Amino acid sequence: MLSHISALTDGLMWTRSGIVWAVWRVSPIPYAYQPDDKKHAARRHHTALYRALRGESLHLGLVAATDPVSVVEAMVEGVDVAEHEAWAAECNATLDFLEHIEIGRRVHWIAAPLPNPGAKAVLEPLQASWAALKDQLMLPRAVPSKHAIGERAAQAEMLRKEMPSAFDPRPASVAEMAWLFGHAMQRGLGLDMDVPVHGSLDAELHLTGAAVLPAALIDPAGQTDATRRLTPMQILKRPYVKVIDPEYPDRASYQSTLVVSDTPSGGIVYPGCEWIGRVDESSVPCDWAIRMTVRSREEVTGRNRRAVRTLNDQFDQRSEEERAGSSLDGTARALGEYQAVMDADELEVEVDATTMFTVSGPSAEQVLDDARDLTKYFASMQFKLRNDPTVQPALFDATLPGIPTPRAVREYSQITTARSFAAAVPFATTDLGDTSGSLFALEISNGASRPNPVFVNLGGASDKLDVALAMGFVGELGSGKSVALKSVALDNIDRGATLIAVDHTDMGEWGTAVSEVAGSQVVEIAEDATLSMDPLRCLPPATAPRVTRSFLTVLLSVQTKSEQNVLLSKVLQPSYMGRYGITSLGSLARHLESECELAGAHTLADEMRIFSELDFGRAVFDDTLPAIDLDAPAIVMHTNRLQLPSRSDMEHSHLFAELKAEKVFGRAVFALIAALARHRCFKDRTRLDIFAADEAHKTMSSPEAAEEIGMFIRDGRKHKAALLLGSHDAEEDFGNEVVRGLIPFRVLLRHRDENLARRGLRWLHGQQSDAQVDPQLIKLITEGTAPVMDGAVGVPEERRGECLVRDFQSRYGRAKVLAPLVVSRAETVKTTPTSSTGTVIRS
Amino acid sequence: MDERELETAKFYTRARRIPMLVGKMPSGGRIWGGPYTITQIGAGALVGFVLWKTAPLWAQLGGFMNVVLAAGIVIGTVWLTGKIPSTGRNPATWLMDALNLTTSPGRLSGGRLVIARPRRLNHRVMVLLPDGDRAARLARTRGWTGPDLVPVDDVDQREVATGTGEMPLPPLTPTDLIRDDDRETASLTGVGELLAGKLRRKDG
């Protein structure tokens, strides 16, 4: 049998029946895990789409496999792999890992037959028949003329402009249409390639092969599998088609198309029952196709009137049967309600749609199992799916564009309004992340049956989106915050970025994490310090005095308008420092003590000695230690022994006045770290530099450090400087409202406390502190995210890293953070002071 | 707190597809045992007609008994067709599709139905690409007269579709077929196990 399609060009499809179809690729709208207002907006877009599409159309949601190679290509984009060997190793490991799992995403299409107005209604079919006859006679083939192409393209464009721009419909390229047909021929075999990108090598391969559209052998009920002729009853017990590629007869794809044959009589609840948009949650891999006819309100009113006449006649015919209340009364009520809905909204239209789900696999048994699972999934929502054995080949055709709607498909159609059908939200996506970058996580919004890669491109993609370069991680102890933070940081170091991190853990886990990075430096702010972070020694002369003065001002509690401040300004002038050979804080202290003749110098020296003689003051004041190299690829500031003033210390003047020297030192050092980080990260605008502050509440408890971080986040984007913050509660720990609000990429991990989970969700969705939160989401965070099974098991390995994510484009979804895939690297990252049950192992 | 606005979206298929039952004669008189569906009436009439036309073959029981038997068969057919469960489809077209599928070649409504089984789906498609398209340029520069490729500026020349052209580029190997278990690096980690175990819906 010859297919209906006679010619293809970008966005258009000529058929042998004289109908030209327009085919568009559409972009789905982010849906699951979005706040309710965004969900309602998505539904409104769907309603508008159905109202724009008068007449027949075919809507498709096909699962396209993602080639692991394409994932790795996205990971190496813009990175010279030869120069970054660690990244190459990670990419290799990723490739190996991805080959063990199926990844892919749903791609969406709309196809519609274009009307043949006026004389065309007769001429086009005649021309099509003439072309078919010429084909039969092996005469030269006719192709649509340039004029015809132009005319049809204009017709299609008119229709495209009617559709809501939210779906961004664009004419499908010939390669994409070829993919569509190829996909239908080999569903369920795992042979699919990614949808070809226009102009790519893939697209060329699709177009320059032996045939553009692949031939197929369609065997209803898989009769070629039987050794003997099947009896009619046996045939009817095999509700599937076997699609065979004539070139590879061994590769058979079994496909079964299920049709929605009944809908819930009470209707469906919205939001919550998006029966097509959330079909992936069934965990049955399937393609969906909707053949719909949209009718105007006037036409529907006419049909409803006829239905009323039929109903009256039926009341008469069934008068005997219908005495004690009957189904006809229900029908009458529904009809009245339907007409009332139509009357109430002038723009409302009727959607008469047949929804089909195609399950597929390499064997008939698998297909029937999947069909059963999907039927059960829909039965739980009171939808009835029917696996009609008699029309499987017709249903297979019905899921492809260019083929007239088969009769059986019309018989199964379900009638509703555009607004009600839009509640199914078919064009929904849960895509997350950037298009390239490091592989941060796998998106598991639809369950883990078909995850999607989530890339984070701190340096690149975020540039175009004009958002701050910052990621925030919130979760309880042991929820995986630190692993996530370290994974992002290390991936980026491998890709050529630099890191400066504050590590407040006793184990020094960040030090362990960067141990494999060549040239990394760890500053122990303790008596056993081996490196010095003296600003006068590690900063260039132009910046050093300013940062040093800020540090000393905080350390020595110097008032702005005081003699001490004037003195500090004088001694920290580059010319003065040059004259007296002041090159470090140690030499400054010695100078003030012995050489300096300026008033108040000795007092200042005495005050400095309080801190320089503290055992952990060495990291700043001991000039015998080598200074850190601010150009090192990774610097970790190990601050676990530092004490910090509490909030009440800072708020009450009497407590502040009695602050211990250790706490004052801690406060000043955190401010110094933030200043050093800002200097280092802002220096080079071409290179990505990361400042990571895990346990951000510690860093933020120094007001000066919090201020530095505020400036960091506001200006970081211009300097390609990224900020990573991690803590337990965004509201308390991420500084002020501006910092909290400016963090575009938000990751919310497990919080078993309901109140903290609610606060975390508000931050994730950017809501007010008294906003309502979806209780289901709270339950998801408290119980369904990386759940702790019991004290012995902790979090099962396969559930670790689960979280909710808001990406740079403000899309939401559920994901599983991926620790580095190179085993040795993964081990360094996973070293954590807490067990997965949240109990501290060492303290 | 935490209450959301919910809305109900309804289907109106039942309001418009009213099952047609016949309970009265055109004259207004009530039909005994009714009302009946159109299918029941059609099936009864069809069986009655067939029995009438084939009477010489089966009517061997003597006048009255023949009538009783025929009436019994017709009543039985009507009763049985009344038991057909509702499938959302017209039972008559369902039966037609079933016959189409299971008889090859068969006969229906007096016409001969030939069903090639399995059927082969072939395509003969002309592809029209804009002049600047890389694939079109590639095809032309290599002098390749592929089966279906017609650059748009050549559309007036009407090319004849020839046989299979030479593949201008090597085909990609589907990566799914590559299985290299010898590589060292990460084995099936948490996600893989999760996928294998299909644990996903436990969290509700």
Side-chain angles (χ1 to χ4, degrees):
Chain A
M1 176 187 143
L2 201 57
S3 86
H4 266 79
I5 298 145
S6 63
L8 291 173
T9 186
D10 285 350
L12 295 170
M13 185 181 268
W14 272 261
T15 68
R16 290 179 205 283
S17 55
I19 301 286
V20 181
W21 285 64
V23 185
W24 298 276
R25 175 101 184 261
V26 291
S27 307
I29 300 175
Y31 192 79
Y33 300 103
Q34 305 290 318
D36 275 359
D37 55 335
K38 289 197 174 181
K39 286 189 175 180
H40 285 288
R43 184 189 177 190
R44 278 197 297 277
H45 289 312
H46 278 83
T47 311
L49 174 72
Y50 301 138
R51 288 177 179 176
L53 287 169
R54 291 293 159 91
E56 271 191 52
S57 56
L58 168 67
H59 302 223
L60 295 170
L62 312 176
V63 174
T66 302
D67 186 353
V69 175
S70 70
V71 174
V72 173
E73 274 171 2
M75 287 172 74
V76 297
E77 197 183 300
V79 181
D80 183 357
V81 188
E83 269 185 32
H84 300 98
E85 281 176 23
W87 189 238
E90 181 64 28
C91 289
N92 259 330
T94 307
L95 193 60
D96 285 352
F97 166 71
L98 292 179
E99 276 173 7
H100 287 99
I101 60 170
E102 263 180 53
I103 48 173
R105 63 187 69 223
R106 208 169 267 286
V107 282
H108 300 84
W109 318 77
I110 295 177
L114 297 172
N116 282 334
K120 274 210 167 81
V122 182
L123 288 179
E124 286 284 344
L126 272 181
Q127 272 176 4
S129 315
W130 175 236
L133 182 69
K134 280 167 81 175
D135 251 10
Q136 293 281 326
L137 301 173
M138 295 306 281
L139 289 170
R141 295 177 72 186
V143 292
S145 65
K146 265 185 187 170
H147 176 71
I149 297 174
E151 212 172 34
R152 293 303 189 170
Q155 237 183 327
E157 183 60 16
M158 285 279 285
L159 205 53
R160 193 187 73 85
K161 281 183 181 157
E162 294 281 314
M163 293 189 241
S165 54
F167 295 102
D168 187 26
R170 55 166 190 77
S173 69
V174 175
E176 282 176 326
M177 287 191 256
W179 177 91
L180 209 144
F181 277 81
H183 170 80
M185 303 305 160
Q186 52 191 26
R187 276 193 189 114
L189 298 182
L191 298 175
D192 255 356
M193 282 198 276
D194 220 341
V195 185
V197 178
H198 191 64
S200 69
L201 181 66
D202 264 4
E204 278 172 28
L205 285 174
H206 269 286
L207 295 179
T208 51
V212 171
L213 301 184
L217 217 56
I218 295 166
D219 174 13
Q223 293 171 69
T224 48
D225 288 344
T227 46
R228 287 187 308 169
R229 196 188 157 84
L230 295 168
T231 64
M233 282 316 283
Q234 281 174 320
I235 292 176
L236 290 179
K237 279 185 183 160
R238 296 169 152 226
Y240 51 82
V241 290
K242 180 182 173 189
V243 183
I244 308 160
D245 184 343
E247 284 178 37
Y248 305 95
D250 299 340
R251 263 190 224 163
S253 153
Y254 292 81
Q255 306 185 12
S256 187
T257 305
L258 299 117
V259 195
V260 174
S261 67
D262 204 2
T263 51
S265 47
I268 55 168
V269 173
Y270 181 87
C273 189
E274 296 80 3
W275 54 287
I276 306 177
R278 288 169 61 178
V279 66
D280 288 325
E281 290 177 30
S282 69
S283 84
V284 181
C286 65
D287 287 344
W288 56 255
I290 308 164
R291 285 252 174 183
M292 70 164 67
T293 308
V294 175
R295 297 196 186 91
S296 67
R297 202 166 74 112
E298 292 70 33
E299 208 184 333
V300 173
T301 308
R303 281 171 185 249
N304 284 354
R305 277 206 197 105
R306 280 200 293 281
V308 171
R309 278 201 292 276
T310 312
L311 194 64
N312 282 332
D313 178 53
Q314 283 299 303
F315 270 119
D316 184 39
Q317 292 286 347
R318 302 191 205 173
S319 54
E320 292 296 317
E321 178 205 51
E322 301 288 335
R323 276 186 203 115
S326 70
S327 62
L328 282 185
D329 291 333
T331 308
R333 265 198 304 277
L335 193 56
E337 192 185 318
Y338 186 32
Q339 192 52 44
V341 170
M342 279 289 162
D343 290 341
D345 188 349
E346 281 187 13
L347 296 172
E348 194 54 288
V349 292
E350 175 180 277
V351 172
D352 188 359
T354 309
T355 311
M356 295 164 273
F357 297 94
T358 306
V359 290
S360 53
S363 73
E365 290 73 34
Q366 193 190 324
V367 169
L368 293 177
D369 279 352
D370 278 359
R372 213 169 291 125
D373 287 348
L374 197 65
T375 310
K376 270 192 269 177
Y377 172 75
F378 274 97
S380 67
M381 293 187 282
Q382 290 184 312
F383 278 90
K384 200 156 131 193
L385 289 196
R386 204 170 134 69
N387 200 358
D388 192 337
T390 61
V391 285
Q392 285 301 320
L395 295 177
F396 174 80
D397 288 347
T399 58
L400 291 169
I403 291 156
T405 308
R407 188 194 63 240
V409 170
R410 288 190 197 281
E411 284 184 55
Y412 277 119
S413 71
Q414 301 292 329
I415 296 168
T416 184
T417 59
R419 188 171 157 73
S420 289
F421 197 79
V425 203
F427 294 125
T429 181
T430 46
D431 276 2
L432 275 181
D434 300 324
T435 51
S436 67
S438 59
L439 183 61
F440 166 65
L442 290 177
E443 178 263 304
I444 51 165
S445 301
N446 299 318
S449 61
R450 191 175 40 77
N452 265 322
V454 181
F455 298 109
V456 171
N457 190 348
L458 271 177
S462 355
D463 269 1
K464 294 173 211 140
L465 296 168
D466 284 335
V467 287
L469 279 187
M471 293 173 81
F473 299 78
V474 169
E476 65 178 23
L477 299 163
S479 59
K481 275 189 316 292
S482 300
V483 174
L485 266 163
K486 282 182 273 184
S487 300
V488 173
L490 285 178
D491 278 355
N492 280 292
I493 294 176
D494 288 350
R495 289 162 58 85
T498 69
L499 168 76
I500 181 161
V502 185
D503 182 3
H504 213 77
T505 62
D506 291 322
M507 272 179 79
E509 52 183 75
W510 280 83
T512 317
V514 300
S515 58
E516 284 194 2
V517 177
S520 60
Q521 297 191 327
V522 180
V523 183
E524 294 287 344
I525 305 174
E527 67 271 23
D528 54 353
T530 51
L531 285 169
S532 164
M533 52 183 280
D534 181 345
L536 284 178
R537 296 175 61 201
C538 57
L539 287 173
T543 332
R546 182 180 52 79
V547 175
T548 311
R549 194 169 66 237
S550 301
F551 170 67
L552 290 176
T553 312
V554 179
L555 189 72
L556 308 176
S557 303
V558 175
Q559 304 280 321
T560 317
K561 287 187 178 174
S562 66
E563 283 177 11
Q564 278 188 320
N565 200 15
V566 175
L567 173 66
L568 267 179
S569 303
K570 280 183 184 165
V571 295
L572 286 171
Q573 267 174 12
S575 53
Y576 185 91
M577 284 162 65
R579 204 179 319 139
Y580 292 99
I582 299 170
T583 53
S584 64
L585 279 172
S587 57
L588 176 69
R590 283 193 295 276
H591 168 76
L592 288 173
E593 203 171 345
S594 51
E595 293 177 332
C596 188
E597 288 169 4
L598 295 167
H602 292 285
T603 325
L604 202 63
D606 289 343
E607 283 178 6
M608 273 174 80
R609 200 181 304 124
I610 300 172
F611 299 101
S612 62
E613 286 177 359
L614 278 175
D615 48 2
F616 45 73
R618 282 189 64 206
V620 183
F621 291 100
D622 188 346
D623 45 12
T624 59
L625 295 175
I628 49 165
D629 174 13
L630 278 184
D631 290 321
I635 299 171
V636 174
M637 305 288 190
H638 197 190
T639 59
N640 65 318
R641 311 234 191 126
L642 286 184
Q643 293 184 29
L644 280 157
S646 66
R647 179 165 287 197
S648 55
D649 285 339
M650 301 300 292
E651 282 170 1
H652 299 102
S653 53
H654 66 283
L655 291 175
F656 187 73
E658 292 167 11
L659 215 54
K660 285 198 296 181
E662 287 85 349
K663 287 189 175 181
V664 175
F665 183 73
R667 173 187 166 192
V669 166
F670 269 104
L672 175 62
I673 291 172
L676 288 178
R678 192 157 74 91
H679 167 78
R680 167 186 154 108
C681 297
F682 279 33
K683 198 168 63 174
D684 188 343
R685 288 178 185 224
T686 57
R687 182 187 63 189
L688 176 70
D689 301 283
I690 299 171
F691 177 34
D694 199 358
E695 315 281 335
H697 56 282
K698 296 263 169 44
T699 314
M700 291 293 188
S701 63
S702 160
E704 292 75 20
E707 202 184 319
E708 284 281 354
I709 287 175
M711 283 194 277
F712 194 108
I713 199 166
R714 284 170 206 254
D715 292 338
R717 193 173 63 84
K718 295 176 209 149
H719 300 268
K720 235 178 173 183
L723 179 68
L724 307 180
L725 291 180
S727 204
H728 310 115
D729 181 18
E731 217 166 292
E732 279 284 316
D733 306 338
F734 283 176
N736 58 32
E737 210 174 317
V738 179
V739 174
R740 279 199 301 277
L742 277 178
I743 299 174
F745 200 112
R746 301 174 189 184
V747 182
L748 179 64
L749 298 111
R750 181 188 64 225
H751 249 314
R752 277 173 289 182
D753 180 80
E754 210 170 285
N755 191 34
L756 285 172
R758 186 178 286 118
R759 285 163 71 117
L761 283 162
R762 284 194 190 117
W763 167 71
L764 186 81
H765 283 153
Q767 291 170 327
Q768 297 291 324
S769 56
D770 56 352
Q772 288 183 352
V773 181
D774 182 355
Q776 282 185 336
L777 285 181
I778 296 176
K779 199 164 176 238
L780 180 73
I781 288 296
T782 52
E783 295 170 23
T785 300
V788 180
M789 293 302 175
D790 53 51
V793 181
V795 181
E797 187 64 34
E798 70 273 8
R799 299 294 304 263
R800 288 186 188 196
E802 289 178 356
C803 57
L804 287 182
V805 172
R806 183 190 117 140
D807 72 1
F808 284 119
Q809 297 175 54
S810 299
R811 295 179 300 187
Y812 300 84
R814 193 164 167 238
K816 179 182 163 67
V817 176
L818 281 183
L821 289 161
V822 172
V823 179
S824 57
R825 172 61 64 82
E827 275 163 11
T828 61
V829 165
K830 282 177 184 167
T831 315
T832 161
T834 56
S835 76
S836 55
T837 50
T839 48
V840 177
I841 294 168
R842 288 190 224 169
S843 59
Chain B
M1 68 180 296
D2 295 345
E3 275 181 24
R4 305 162 78 200
E5 236 176 82
L6 296 174
E7 192 194 315
T8 309
K10 278 194 170 176
F11 288 87
Y12 300 101
T13 319
R14 282 195 198 87
R16 277 262 292 279
R17 304 238 170 94
I18 303 162
M20 301 288 273
L21 267 71
V22 180
K24 281 182 178 171
M25 306 288 267
S27 57
R30 194 176 149 252
I31 304 174
W32 178 81
Y36 296 102
T37 61
I38 304 283
T39 317
Q40 280 176 298
I41 292 169
L46 186 73
V47 170
F49 180 76
V50 172
L51 288 174
W52 175 49
K53 282 290 178 193
T54 57
L57 294 175
W58 57 268
Q60 314 288 342
L61 301 170
F64 180 67
M65 284 310 285
N66 285 347
V67 174
V68 170
L69 181 67
I73 293 172
V74 171
I75 290 169
T77 310
V78 169
W79 182 78
L80 276 175
T81 45
K83 296 283 163 198
I84 295 174
S86 163
T87 59
R89 273 191 78 187
N90 181 351
T93 56
W94 187 89
L95 187 71
M96 212 164 77
D97 284 328
L99 286 174
N100 261 342
L101 182 74
T102 54
T103 54
S104 164
R107 213 167 247 286
L108 193 74
S109 327
R112 194 178 154 79
L113 273 172
V114 181
I115 299 148
R117 201 173 52 181
R119 67 173 218 245
R120 186 177 164 138
L121 180 66
N122 287 321
H123 301 277
R124 276 178 105 181
V125 182
M126 306 293 276
V127 173
L128 310 151
L129 296 169
D131 199 21
D133 195 279
R134 270 184 78 191
R137 230 178 22 240
L138 191 81
R140 215 172 313 139
T141 50
R142 297 191 182 190
W144 175 63
T145 52
D148 308 320
L149 206 66
V150 184
V152 165
D153 57 348
D154 291 339
V155 287
D156 295 328
Q157 296 170 14
R158 311 232 161 150
E159 285 198 12
V160 184
T162 59
T164 306
E166 189 192 315
M167 291 279 279
L169 291 163
L172 281 185
T173 320
T175 45
D176 312 66
L177 296 180
I178 301 169
R179 281 276 178 274
D180 189 354
D181 296 329
D182 296 331
R183 285 193 208 172
E184 48 174 38
T185 43
S187 59
L188 203 62
T189 58
V191 184
E193 283 168 25
L194 176 59
L195 301 171
K198 291 201 173 184
L199 278 165
R200 76 243 137 229
R201 287 185 65 79
K202 273 190 183 167
D203 47 78

